[in-house]
Amino acid sequence: MTKSSLKDCTGLHVVAQTPFRADGALDLDSIDTLSAFYYGHGARGLTVLGVSGEQGKLTPDECIATAARFIAAANGHRIIVGVSSPSLAQLVTVTQHVMAEGADAVMICPPRGTQTDDDLMRYFDEVFARIGNTPTVLQDFPVHSGVKMSPSLIRRLVEAFPQIGVIKEEDLPSITKITKLREELGTNVRILTGNNGLYLPQELARGADGPMAGFSFPEMLSGVDDLMRNGDREGAHDLFDRYLPLLRYEAQGEWGIAIRKEVMRQRGAMECAALRAPGPVLTALDRAEIRSMIDRMGLEFKFDNRSAA
Amino acid sequence: MTKSSLKDCTGLHVVAQTPFRADGALDLDSIDTLSAFYYGHGARGLTVLGVSGEQGKLTPDECIATAARFIAAANGHRIIVGVSSPSLAQLVTVTQHVMAEGADAVMICPPRGTQTDDDLMRYFDEVFARIGNTPTVLQDFPVHSGVKMSPSLIRRLVEAFPQIGVIKEEDLPSITKITKLREELGTNVRILTGNNGLYLPQELARGADGPMAGFSFPEMLSGVDDLMRNGDREGAHDLFDRYLPLLRYEAQGEWGIAIRKEVMRQRGAMECAALRAPGPVLTALDRAEIRSMIDRMGLEFKFDNRSAA
Amino acid sequence: MTKSSLKDCTGLHVVAQTPFRADGALDLDSIDTLSAFYYGHGARGLTVLGVSGEQGKLTPDECIATAARFIAAANGHRIIVGVSSPSLAQLVTVTQHVMAEGADAVMICPPRGTQTDDDLMRYFDEVFARIGNTPTVLQDFPVHSGVKMSPSLIRRLVEAFPQIGVIKEEDLPSITKITKLREELGTNVRILTGNNGLYLPQELARGADGPMAGFSFPEMLSGVDDLMRNGDREGAHDLFDRYLPLLRYEAQGEWGIAIRKEVMRQRGAMECAALRAPGPVLTALDRAEIRSMIDRMGLEFKFDNRSAA
Amino acid sequence: MTKSSLKDCTGLHVVAQTPFRADGALDLDSIDTLSAFYYGHGARGLTVLGVSGEQGKLTPDECIATAARFIAAANGHRIIVGVSSPSLAQLVTVTQHVMAEGADAVMICPPRGTQTDDDLMRYFDEVFARIGNTPTVLQDFPVHSGVKMSPSLIRRLVEAFPQIGVIKEEDLPSITKITKLREELGTNVRILTGNNGLYLPQELARGADGPMAGFSFPEMLSGVDDLMRNGDREGAHDLFDRYLPLLRYEAQGEWGIAIRKEVMRQRGAMECAALRAPGPVLTALDRAEIRSMIDRMGLEFKFDNRSAA
């Protein structure tokens, strides 16, 4: 893998959870298990410190330490680090540190309030004046950021800033936006999808290059992607539909992340399922609900770390 | 049915589409077919002029005409009319007219910017000073309205304003909020759910009294509700899961409404699937995608209006 | 005055208050007195049903009735009617009615959520497909609307839609935006200013064509405009500074409107100072504060309607 | 001065600018000059790293370094450090460091999205569980934060968390909110005001304990406060009105901060007027406008650092 390039950035890139201890401290050791879990289930790379990686709850120092540990455990896989911040200085500092640690790329979502096409161009002018040639994933996620980017503006950005090699597309309906982006951008840029994978088969059919999402059964995400790539559309849908009840259940914002971490803990991916406070805490009722859903699905549950790549 | 009461407001209340002609004019005639479609698939009542009923695109006169036609076609079913507006005068005028026409209740979501508990109490003070004893559904839908209401505030509202007989709960995760609301409110108030029914089995298990949502196959919504009511949880989940791929596909904001209307048109529920402009317009690709999904599901598709109740 | 043109739309256009009775009913009769007050203090025209005209609290019927009465009392002055609405149908209906009544132009601020340059172009495509050649004031007021428009986008709009003859510019800092707009637009378009006139001398010096604002002493707004037009910059500043303590006091959102209406009532401009509820209600302390400010300023207070044009 | 207490926190507390070099690096050396400038013009203390201190553009390390330098230059004056952050971990880390450096208190504005009374109580539960007895200024600034707090909620907060010794009140109209807060809170809590001091005389008359604001002529802010304290209301208004044209000119958001820094640079308060990029950059026209305003006001301009306390 050419570290400096996002040209071949296709296939599953899991948006990784960040593991914490019960007291809220970072659990760096679990990153090794977690990485093995992701790679053992088909991830070609990881996006660490995304929204569902609880990036917003960390200090910059913690961000750098977390990314460094994922990089150390990458074992040849691509590591993309979320560095979005209302503070450009913080974005730049974290970028410099994680690239120095060996990250492959950063992911940036423009900050709330960047609201006209010209303001967006200027924002990335400022960004790239500071981070230079750093390979970059542009995150299009208006529900979270409040920033809307039209397909024509995204083309302007991609043309002005060749550092942008991937669009993480999660502006709803992502399905139709991917169609429009493919018309605007051709195939020079990779488009990966988000939104917890909830529209994955259709997104892939419309030209996406793979999922960049999180799910407690990443083998579904990679499996659907492989099947679609091999032209087995029916097989892809069958696989997707089998997991859909749980996928939909996890797609409930921060509370869904709590669910996802709990399932992943039960699967052996990490020690402790806690989100860093303040955040949702699962009740006995929630846990019973999870258990009932898993049982219904009849899924192969336990992950054996020893079998991971 | 006691017109003046929401006490027995349980079971499926479909959030109804508003039918338009291709040129954007109201298609009042289709309201009769549409009503038959809903009632023929298990709706005990309708909520007309909700968000997905495109209320925000109508003038007050059009709102009144639309509601009046649904009321005329109600055939003993309950009609709840969405009257939310940034203008209190408009809310009051429409309420007075539709109640005079024979509506059973109105639904109100507090307007954007009503942001503290005290402001919310004051807002409903002003509302009920003007609409008196009108039975009211309180809509809790922060993703759309920007207004957050805590369980304790909802209890204050329910205690202060006995007109509020139903909470339409769609603050995500609605699942846990329903649990909290049941703890706060007991069983004196009905809780119906929204969010396109995407979490319906869990919501019912946690104490909701039925769905208040839209879907192109309302027989699934009523069917799941009936099965849960009869204690057949597995059956309910089986039914729900069968439709989930399409349910999820329709849950894509205004574009999802365009999908829903197209499916419903194909099922014979109305003449024309157009949303009032400005709004999404389906492409050939979109239509093919819908067709492929319906085919996969192997659903009984066509609705025979003659068999409707 | 050519009714159909905004080319000569310069000088003071007061953003008019809407008079209500104590019970919240429209006080249409006071519109005659109020119009005389405005024209007697230098207004060349009025913008009725703007934000501070409490447009958002009226029904469309009330909007039309209010505009009609201002038009009847116009006496050769220009009447611009605010028609902004989240509902395009409502915007169109009110536009058609008020233009039929004899309004000179409408004012439109794009609705919340219209967030990319392309979306803004599309929005006005939809608008002008419906209201045709109606002369239009484009309101640029992001603090209120949440919509940001860059100078280059405003040029695109002005070039695509010659109906737009005036920009009401109140994006802070309006001072520098006026400079940029003049560079983009040349002098083909009129630029009037808002923000309660709080930056009027600087705005005029940078190329604005006059104020479109409200103040309880409109003679200051017209006076500053006249002095600047005649090249007496020092005189303009002296006049402005004399009224500034009160001007600043009135520039406090909706509460400032309550102040303004109370001062105008005391000056004989209308019968009752009430805002339509829900809205702020002045206390004895507030009234004493106003009185003390007026006394300090030593202003000629009473307006003699008989001397009005 | 008792370091641990905010009980006597009255009088002018300037919201301090953060000085940068032209290249955007922190200019820590200018903090000494700047501190002398503030104290020489009547400041009893400083609030560093507020919104207009460009806190949002710094990394946590830079925040700590900046605060430490202000603390080193405090010379017995009170130093309050703005620590608000969407990241609670960052808030806590910065709080611990600056309190260890010798800060007197921190200032906290709840983060965007904290929207119900219960959520606000929970947020501060989480905060004070981590920062313990740290004396705290609660910032009520909804225009910036999007968070609204009612007077009754502020009382709940003050009663639950005795660490809150000061309310920085800038919810418009701050005038009437101060009246309501005094009714709710009595005189147990200090209320300082913000909004660039634009409503200072009225705010003090209604019970505020002093300004916590920035202005390029802080001697006006301290002077008005002293005169009001001594019962010379007319004198206070006279002094205030004299500076009002410039005060209003500086009250233009981030661009106003650029103006303020330029005037302060000309007065000798710091080396370089630059804001950290991205941010507004003054043009020749802007500078001429400033000059003209200063000339009109006939102000004593130059600050002699040697005379500072």
Side-chain angles (χ1 to χ4, degrees):
Chain A
M1 191 177 68
T2 311
K3 279 271 182 194
S4 61
S5 171
L6 288 167
K7 277 213 180 100
D8 59 348
C9 186
T10 62
L12 173 60
H13 287 71
V14 174
V15 177
Q17 304 316 130
T18 301
F20 295 98
R21 300 227 173 78
D23 66 358
L26 279 173
D27 173 13
L28 294 177
D29 292 341
S30 273
I31 287 177
D32 298 342
T33 336
L34 187 59
S35 299
F37 175 83
Y38 290 137
Y39 302 133
H41 288 112
R44 298 191 191 174
L46 302 181
T47 300
V48 306
L49 300 171
V51 172
S52 62
E54 303 175 62
Q55 182 243 33
K57 295 179 185 169
L58 304 192
T59 66
D61 288 347
E62 290 176 321
C63 287
I64 293 162
T66 301
R69 187 65 172 250
F70 274 110
I71 292 164
N75 199 16
H77 299 86
R78 184 182 283 108
I79 303 292
I80 299 163
V81 183
V83 297
S84 307
S85 171
S87 159
L88 184 52
Q90 195 155 312
L91 180 156
V92 170
T93 297
V94 175
T95 296
Q96 288 167 345
H97 278 86
V98 299
M99 293 307 291
E101 293 284 347
D104 296 277
V106 296
M107 180 169 76
I108 300 175
C109 183
R112 185 172 292 277
T114 320
Q115 246 182 305
T116 68
D117 288 14
D118 288 353
D119 276 354
L120 282 157
M121 293 301 293
R122 268 191 292 270
Y123 177 72
F124 284 100
D125 266 337
E126 299 277 1
V127 166
F128 289 113
R130 286 165 178 77
I131 69 169
N133 291 322
T134 308
T136 297
V137 175
L138 174 65
Q139 186 181 24
D140 183 18
F141 193 15
V143 165
H144 178 76
S145 66
V147 177
K148 286 258 188 195
M149 296 188 279
S150 65
S152 68
L153 184 265
I154 290 175
R155 192 183 57 195
R156 279 178 71 191
L157 288 169
V158 164
E159 287 173 359
F161 307 109
Q163 297 95 326
I164 299 175
V166 174
I167 314 295
K168 175 164 169 41
E169 185 49 64
E170 35 196 346
D171 179 11
L172 290 174
S174 51
I175 294 175
T176 63
K177 191 151 187 187
I178 287 166
T179 296
K180 285 177 202 146
L181 282 178
R182 272 287 167 248
E183 288 165 7
E184 287 279 344
L185 301 175
T187 54
N188 287 328
V189 173
R190 305 277 72 83
I191 301 175
L192 299 178
T193 70
N195 285 319
N196 301 289
L198 206 52
Y199 309 102
L200 184 58
Q202 284 85 10
E203 289 169 331
L204 293 170
R206 284 168 179 259
D209 296 296
M212 184 180 278
F215 183 41
S216 56
F217 289 80
E219 55 268 46
M220 183 278 280
L221 300 173
S222 57
V224 168
D225 186 59
D226 289 344
L227 288 163
M228 288 293 286
R229 208 173 294 276
N230 297 331
D232 183 1
R233 189 162 168 163
E234 285 305 303
H237 275 276
D238 289 344
L239 179 60
F240 179 82
D241 290 353
R242 185 176 167 215
Y243 286 86
L244 185 51
L246 181 63
L247 188 69
R248 160 212 62 122
Y249 190 71
E250 278 188 20
Q252 295 190 73
E254 198 183 18
W255 192 74
I257 303 306
I259 300 294
R260 180 176 303 159
K261 287 183 113 172
E262 172 58 19
V263 177
M264 288 173 65
R265 184 196 64 77
Q266 292 183 24
R267 297 191 76 194
M270 51 192 182
E271 279 294 308
C272 168
L275 276 73
R276 176 170 274 189
V281 177
L282 300 183
T283 64
L285 179 57
D286 299 337
R287 285 170 206 280
E289 210 172 66
I290 296 172
R291 171 53 49 196
S292 135
M293 222 167 341
I294 298 286
D295 287 348
R296 270 186 56 77
M297 292 167 67
L299 297 171
E300 185 184 337
F301 198 68
K302 196 70 186 178
F303 170 68
D304 181 353
N305 270 312
R306 286 161 301 183
S307 69
Chain B
M1 189 177 70
T2 311
K3 280 272 178 192
S4 60
S5 170
L6 288 167
K7 278 210 180 104
D8 59 348
C9 187
T10 62
L12 173 60
H13 287 71
V14 174
V15 177
Q17 304 316 128
T18 302
F20 296 99
R21 298 226 173 78
D23 65 359
L26 278 174
D27 174 12
L28 294 177
D29 291 341
S30 273
I31 287 177
D32 299 342
T33 337
L34 188 58
S35 299
F37 175 84
Y38 290 137
Y39 302 133
H41 288 112
R44 297 191 193 174
L46 302 182
T47 300
V48 306
L49 300 170
V51 171
S52 64
E54 303 175 63
Q55 183 242 33
K57 295 178 183 170
L58 303 192
T59 64
D61 289 346
E62 290 177 321
C63 287
I64 294 163
T66 301
R69 187 67 171 249
F70 273 111
I71 291 163
N75 199 17
H77 299 86
R78 185 182 282 107
I79 302 294
I80 299 163
V81 182
V83 296
S84 307
S85 171
S87 159
L88 184 53
Q90 194 155 311
L91 180 157
V92 171
T93 297
V94 175
T95 296
Q96 288 167 344
H97 278 86
V98 300
M99 293 307 289
E101 293 284 348
D104 295 278
V106 297
M107 180 169 76
I108 301 176
C109 184
R112 185 172 293 277
T114 320
Q115 247 183 308
T116 67
D117 288 12
D118 288 351
D119 276 353
L120 282 157
M121 293 301 292
R122 268 191 293 269
Y123 177 72
F124 283 100
D125 265 338
E126 299 277 0
V127 165
F128 288 114
R130 287 164 178 77
I131 69 169
N133 290 322
T134 308
T136 297
V137 176
L138 173 66
Q139 187 181 23
D140 183 19
F141 193 14
V143 166
H144 178 76
S145 66
V147 177
K148 287 259 189 196
M149 297 186 278
S150 65
S152 68
L153 184 268
I154 290 174
R155 191 184 55 194
R156 277 177 72 191
L157 287 169
V158 164
E159 287 172 359
F161 306 111
Q163 297 96 328
I164 300 176
V166 175
I167 314 296
K168 177 165 168 41
E169 186 47 65
E170 35 196 346
D171 179 12
L172 290 172
S174 50
I175 294 175
T176 61
K177 191 150 186 187
I178 287 166
T179 297
K180 285 176 203 146
L181 283 179
R182 273 287 168 248
E183 287 164 7
E184 286 279 345
L185 301 176
T187 54
N188 288 326
V189 173
R190 305 276 73 82
I191 300 175
L192 300 178
T193 70
N195 285 317
N196 302 289
L198 207 51
Y199 308 102
L200 185 57
Q202 283 84 12
E203 289 169 329
L204 293 171
R206 282 166 181 259
D209 296 296
M212 186 181 277
F215 182 41
S216 55
F217 289 80
E219 56 268 45
M220 183 280 277
L221 301 173
S222 56
V224 168
D225 185 59
D226 289 343
L227 289 162
M228 287 294 284
R229 209 172 294 276
N230 297 331
D232 183 1
R233 189 162 170 164
E234 284 306 302
H237 275 275
D238 288 344
L239 179 61
F240 179 82
D241 289 354
R242 183 172 168 218
Y243 286 86
L244 185 51
L246 182 62
L247 188 70
R248 159 214 63 124
Y249 190 71
E250 278 187 20
Q252 295 191 71
E254 199 183 16
W255 191 74
I257 303 305
I259 300 295
R260 180 176 303 160
K261 286 182 115 173
E262 172 58 19
V263 177
M264 287 172 65
R265 185 196 64 76
Q266 292 182 25
R267 296 191 77 193
M270 54 190 180
E271 277 294 306
C272 168
L275 276 73
R276 177 170 273 188
V281 176
L282 300 183
T283 64
L285 179 56
D286 300 337
R287 285 170 205 281
E289 211 171 66
I290 296 171
R291 170 55 47 195
S292 134
M293 220 166 343
I294 298 285
D295 288 347
R296 270 186 57 76
M297 292 167 67
L299 296 172
E300 185 186 335
F301 198 68
K302 196 68 184 180
F303 170 66
D304 182 353
N305 270 312
R306 285 163 301 184
S307 68
Chain C
M1 188 178 70
T2 310
K3 280 271 179 190
S4 61
S5 169
L6 287 167
K7 280 214 177 98
D8 58 347
C9 186
T10 61
L12 173 60
H13 287 70
V14 173
V15 177
Q17 305 315 129
T18 301
F20 295 98
R21 299 226 173 78
D23 66 0
L26 278 174
D27 174 13
L28 294 177
D29 292 341
S30 273
I31 288 178
D32 298 341
T33 338
L34 188 59
S35 299
F37 175 84
Y38 289 138
Y39 302 133
H41 289 112
R44 296 188 192 178
L46 302 182
T47 300
V48 305
L49 300 170
V51 172
S52 65
E54 301 173 65
Q55 184 243 30
K57 294 179 187 169
L58 304 193
T59 65
D61 289 346
E62 290 177 320
C63 287
I64 293 163
T66 301
R69 187 67 173 249
F70 273 111
I71 292 163
N75 200 13
H77 298 86
R78 183 183 283 108
I79 303 293
I80 299 163
V81 182
V83 297
S84 308
S85 171
S87 159
L88 185 51
Q90 194 155 312
L91 181 156
V92 170
T93 297
V94 175
T95 295
Q96 287 167 344
H97 278 87
V98 300
M99 294 308 289
E101 293 283 348
D104 295 277
V106 296
M107 180 167 78
I108 300 175
C109 183
R112 184 172 295 275
T114 321
Q115 246 181 309
T116 69
D117 288 14
D118 288 353
D119 275 354
L120 282 157
M121 292 302 292
R122 268 191 293 269
Y123 177 72
F124 283 101
D125 266 338
E126 299 278 0
V127 166
F128 289 114
R130 287 164 178 77
I131 68 168
N133 290 321
T134 308
T136 297
V137 175
L138 173 67
Q139 186 179 24
D140 183 19
F141 192 16
V143 166
H144 179 77
S145 66
V147 177
K148 286 260 189 195
M149 297 187 277
S150 66
S152 69
L153 185 268
I154 291 175
R155 191 182 58 194
R156 279 177 72 192
L157 287 170
V158 164
E159 287 172 0
F161 306 110
Q163 296 95 326
I164 299 175
V166 174
I167 315 295
K168 175 162 168 44
E169 185 48 64
E170 34 197 347
D171 179 12
L172 290 173
S174 51
I175 294 175
T176 62
K177 191 149 187 188
I178 288 167
T179 296
K180 285 175 203 148
L181 282 179
R182 274 287 169 247
E183 286 165 7
E184 286 280 345
L185 301 174
T187 54
N188 288 327
V189 173
R190 304 277 73 82
I191 301 174
L192 299 179
T193 69
N195 284 319
N196 301 291
L198 208 52
Y199 310 101
L200 185 57
Q202 282 86 11
E203 290 170 328
L204 293 170
R206 282 166 180 260
D209 295 297
M212 184 180 279
F215 183 39
S216 56
F217 289 79
E219 57 265 47
M220 182 280 278
L221 300 173
S222 57
V224 167
D225 185 60
D226 289 343
L227 289 163
M228 287 295 285
R229 210 171 292 276
N230 296 331
D232 182 0
R233 189 164 170 161
E234 285 304 304
H237 276 276
D238 288 345
L239 179 60
F240 179 83
D241 290 354
R242 184 173 166 219
Y243 287 86
L244 185 51
L246 182 62
L247 188 70
R248 160 213 61 122
Y249 190 72
E250 277 186 20
Q252 294 190 74
E254 198 184 17
W255 192 73
I257 303 306
I259 301 294
R260 181 177 302 159
K261 286 183 116 173
E262 172 60 19
V263 177
M264 287 172 66
R265 185 195 65 76
Q266 292 183 26
R267 295 191 77 194
M270 53 192 180
E271 277 295 307
C272 168
L275 276 74
R276 176 171 273 188
V281 176
L282 300 183
T283 64
L285 179 57
D286 299 337
R287 285 170 206 281
E289 210 171 67
I290 297 171
R291 170 56 47 198
S292 134
M293 220 166 344
I294 298 285
D295 288 348
R296 270 188 54 78
M297 291 166 68
L299 297 172
E300 185 185 336
F301 197 69
K302 197 68 185 178
F303 170 66
D304 182 354
N305 270 312
R306 286 161 302 183
S307 70
Chain D
M1 189 179 67
T2 311
K3 279 273 180 190
S4 61
S5 170
L6 288 167
K7 278 216 179 97
D8 59 347
C9 187
T10 62
L12 174 61
H13 287 72
V14 174
V15 177
Q17 306 314 129
T18 302
F20 296 98
R21 299 225 173 77
D23 66 359
L26 278 174
D27 175 12
L28 293 177
D29 291 342
S30 273
I31 286 177
D32 299 342
T33 337
L34 188 59
S35 299
F37 175 84
Y38 290 138
Y39 303 132
H41 288 111
R44 298 189 191 175
L46 301 182
T47 300
V48 305
L49 300 169
V51 172
S52 65
E54 302 175 64
Q55 183 243 32
K57 296 179 182 168
L58 304 192
T59 65
D61 288 347
E62 290 177 321
C63 287
I64 294 162
T66 301
R69 187 65 172 250
F70 274 111
I71 292 163
N75 199 16
H77 299 86
R78 182 183 283 108
I79 302 292
I80 299 163
V81 182
V83 297
S84 307
S85 172
S87 159
L88 184 53
Q90 193 155 312
L91 179 157
V92 170
T93 297
V94 175
T95 296
Q96 288 166 344
H97 279 86
V98 301
M99 293 308 290
E101 292 284 348
D104 296 277
V106 296
M107 180 169 76
I108 300 176
C109 183
R112 183 173 296 276
T114 321
Q115 245 181 309
T116 67
D117 287 12
D118 287 352
D119 276 354
L120 282 157
M121 293 301 293
R122 269 191 292 270
Y123 177 71
F124 283 100
D125 265 338
E126 299 278 1
V127 166
F128 289 113
R130 288 164 177 77
I131 69 169
N133 291 321
T134 309
T136 296
V137 175
L138 173 67
Q139 186 180 24
D140 183 19
F141 192 15
V143 166
H144 179 76
S145 66
V147 178
K148 286 259 187 194
M149 297 187 277
S150 65
S152 68
L153 185 267
I154 291 175
R155 191 184 56 193
R156 278 177 71 191
L157 288 169
V158 164
E159 286 171 0
F161 306 111
Q163 298 95 327
I164 299 176
V166 174
I167 314 295
K168 175 164 168 43
E169 186 46 64
E170 35 195 347
D171 180 11
L172 289 173
S174 50
I175 293 175
T176 62
K177 192 149 185 187
I178 288 167
T179 297
K180 285 176 203 146
L181 283 178
R182 273 288 168 247
E183 287 164 7
E184 286 279 345
L185 302 175
T187 54
N188 287 328
V189 173
R190 304 277 74 82
I191 301 175
L192 299 178
T193 71
N195 286 316
N196 300 289
L198 207 51
Y199 309 101
L200 185 57
Q202 282 85 12
E203 290 169 329
L204 293 171
R206 281 167 180 260
D209 295 297
M212 185 182 279
F215 183 40
S216 56
F217 289 80
E219 56 267 47
M220 182 279 279
L221 300 174
S222 57
V224 167
D225 186 60
D226 289 344
L227 288 163
M228 287 294 286
R229 210 172 293 276
N230 297 331
D232 182 0
R233 190 163 169 162
E234 284 305 302
H237 276 275
D238 288 345
L239 179 61
F240 180 82
D241 290 353
R242 185 174 166 216
Y243 286 86
L244 185 52
L246 182 62
L247 187 70
R248 159 212 62 123
Y249 190 71
E250 277 187 20
Q252 295 190 75
E254 198 184 17
W255 191 75
I257 303 305
I259 300 295
R260 180 177 302 159
K261 286 182 114 172
E262 172 59 20
V263 176
M264 287 172 65
R265 186 197 63 77
Q266 292 183 25
R267 296 190 77 192
M270 53 192 179
E271 278 294 307
C272 169
L275 276 73
R276 175 170 274 188
V281 176
L282 300 183
T283 65
L285 179 56
D286 299 337
R287 286 171 204 282
E289 211 171 66
I290 297 171
R291 170 53 48 198
S292 135
M293 218 164 348
I294 298 286
D295 287 348
R296 269 188 56 76
M297 291 167 67
L299 298 171
E300 185 185 336
F301 199 69
K302 198 69 187 180
F303 169 68
D304 183 353
N305 270 311
R306 286 162 302 184
S307 69

